[in-house]
Structure formats: C-alpha cells, structure tokens
Amino acid sequence: MELLKLIKNSISSEWKKTFNDNVDILNRNAHDQDQKLDTTNSRIDNLVLHSGGDSPNEVVDARVNNKGETFDTLESRLLASEDKHDEDVTQLDMTQENQRLQFEQLNQAIGKLMGTYGATLDLYVSSVDGDDKNGDGTEEKPFKTIQMAVNVMPLISSSQITIWIDDGVYLEDVVLKSINALRIDIRTIQSLGVLDQSKNDMPVKVRSIGFFNCTGYFQIAGIQAVDQANAPIFEGYKYSFSCEQSGYLALNQVRCVENTKAISNHVASYVGGTSKCHIYNSHFDNQNQINVSRLMSETRVAGDVTGTGNNIGFEANSGTVRVSADSPLSAITKTKATGQGLIITKGTVLS
C-alpha cells in the first residue's frame, strides 16, 4: 500500500507540496526495498535443491562457475576446476620445456650463424639410408637429399663446410643462395684418388648444382651430371653447374657425358656476374657447350681437362676465359668470344 497524499486545501499549499514530495520519496524507497526483498526471496528459494532422497543438499549457485556453466553437483564443478588446473599446470610445464628447447636451438643457430661452434661442419647425405624428416645430417643419421643438407647450412660461417654424399643418383636441382662461408665442398664420400673421371662413371650423380649470390670458395668433386633434359634454366641457359654473382667455384673430377648436343641452350658449366670458376681434372663428352662466362666473370680451364665430340668448348660472353693451348679436350668450336668477351692462352689474346 502506498502512502496517501494530502488533497484538501485546508492547509497551506507550500506545506502540502513539501509533504507530498516526501511521500513520493518514501514510496520510491519502499518500492526499491520490495524489489530487493523479491531478489532475496529468490535467492533463498535456490538455497536447497532436491532436499532429501538420494540427491545432495547443496547451494545451487555453487554449482555455477564464473563462465555461467551449471554442473549437476557441486562436487562435479570442483572436480572440473581441479582437472582444469592440473591441465593448465601440465600445459605450462610443456610450454616451459618447449621454450627451453627453442632457446637451446636458438643458441645453436646463433653459434652456427656466427661460425663459432667449430672449425668444420660435416653434413652427410644418403639416398638409401637418409631421412630428411628424422635425419640430422650426421654420419649415423644422414639426410636423404643434398638440398636438405644445404638448407641446414648457416648463412654466415667462418667454418669449412663439407657435404659428404653417399653413392647414388640424386635427381635434384640443388640451389645454394645467399650463403657466406669460408669454404663449401660438395663431394662424393669416396676417395677422389681412386676415381678416373675420363673412363668411369662417378659414384654420385646429380642433375644440377647452382650457387647464387654466395661468397667464399666452393668445390664440386667426384660428381657426374645426369638427366640434363630436365635441368633448370638460368638466363636462358640450361645448366649442369652454375655460379652466378658468387665466389670461386672449382669443378674437380666432374664428369659430363650425357649427350646434350641436341639441346641448343645447354651448357655444362655457367659462370656469371663477377664469379670465377676453375675447371680441372674433369671430363666432357658430347656436350652442346662445356662452359660460358658472362658479364665480367672468369673461367680458367686446366690442361688436364679431357673429352671429345663436343659442339662448343668455352665461350667468353663479355667475360674472360683462360684456356690451356695444349688441352687434349676437343670440340667443333673449342673457344668462342661474343660481346666483349676475352679468351686468353699463355698470355696471348686469341680473340
């Protein structure tokens, strides 16, 4: 029941207004108290759930978590909270362990990056026993592909890096890009001294190997080029070995005998930019072109390079080729100068 206001005019209008205003205030307060009482009664109604029988007597609100999820019993809510806590602790432990391992890996990577982890880095590859997923590049757990070994090499290193390749055929286009190293050797695991590249196949066969924007000394040794119909193309040339804007590439005991004479843009060795290349103790048969040196690059061909049936031997395409005049290697066109190319033998400019 609300309070009654004064409606008669027997008292002054000013006093009546004040009185009625106070009545309004009291009515509002009473209404607020009624709402609070209703809320309290509602909470009281929820205090006990299913009193008696097999159901537990418990506070209903205690079965609701902070996300508004309602559980069948208070015990189930507490167990869920404890289980979640245990899961969080376990996850935290795992995260900390992962961070520790990542930190160790980062330290190793930094060590490799700066070349401070050792004087040499030996990586092993085996097409038969290797595994790119589970291998680590050691002799006991080699990689399966040469490219995987390249991928784990540091980008900057003061170490000597050697990729030891087990006997086999690797139909890969191996790419080394933006690597700065003291020395990189990609070679057969066999002793080079027992191999004869002029008579026998090399134990390791690869489709192509290319160095791009690298610095340092690089050597490819005891390797034979195969599957040249599918070799990659760079600057219009389909190549077996390439060195573009890189350091010094030595081709030692390489063998190229797959007939490429019908592939008009094929070159066994491409050298470009400011790169330098030394070809020695190697053999080339039936090649469309053995070598091209482009745009300030330079190739030196030793006198022990052999081979027959080649179309073009060595081209200086605005680059420089130094070739021994008494080289036993034969080609329809042994030397060729294009652009501002320069070919030198014994200090004499031929063209």
Side-chain angles (χ1 to χ4, degrees), residues 4-33:
L4 298 177
K5 297 182 179 180
L6 292 174
I7 58 175
K8 296 181 178 181
N9 294 323
S10 56
I11 55 178
S12 68
S13 61
E14 180 179 353
W15 188 89
K16 183 176 66 175
K17 180 180 183 306
T18 301
F19 179 84
N20 287 338
D21 288 344
N22 289 335
V23 170
D24 288 337
I25 293 172
L26 289 173
N27 281 333
R28 285 196 298 272
N29 289 339
H31 180 71
D32 291 343
Q33 292 302 320

Side-chain angles (χ1 to χ4, degrees), residues 58 65 70 75 78 93 143 176 178 208 211 272 294 316 331:
E58 60 184 27
N65 65 13
T70 302
E75 179 187 23
L78 295 176
D93 290 341
F143 294 123
L176 295 89
S178 303
S208 71
F211 294 83
R294 294 186 68 244

